[in-house]
Structures are given as C-alpha cells and as structure tokens.
Amino acid sequence: MKARDIMVSDVPVITTKATVAQAVQMLKDNYGDESFINAAPGLVVLSERGGLAGILTPLSVITALSGT
C-alpha cells in the first residue's frame, strides 16, 4: 500500500491572500457546522505562483484569533 492509496485528495484550497474570515467560512462550507473543528483536516494554502505555501488547520486559526 502506498500513501496515494489512502490520501485525501479533495482538500479545499485557498491562497495566501485569503483573509482568516474567508478561511473560516471555507472550513464551514466544506466541513459543516462548528464540529468541523474536530474533523476538518484544514486547507491547502497556495502561493501566488500556485505552489504549496502551507496548510492552515482549524487549530491554527483558533490560536491566531485567541492571541496565543
């Protein structure tokens, strides 16, 4: 078995220019109600050139908004 056999390939994508509010809305849209915080793998963040810039997880958002 290889990683490609079990990976999630339909993860939502945003760009580095997206706001945190847009990211939260995308998480809600793609993962349902507030319980998405426990289930959502996150969002793939693409650079302006379309390359991988990182991954934005629900915990990252919560941490940023809580100021810790």
Side-chain angles (χ1 to χ4, degrees), residues 24-53:
V24 169
Q25 188 59 52
M26 185 171 281
L27 285 167
K28 286 182 179 182
D29 291 347
N30 285 280
Y31 299 108
D33 59 23
E34 284 74 26
S35 66
F36 76 89
I37 291 171
N38 296 319
L43 304 172
V44 172
V45 182
L46 298 180
S47 69
E48 293 180 27
R49 295 178 142 178
L52 179 64

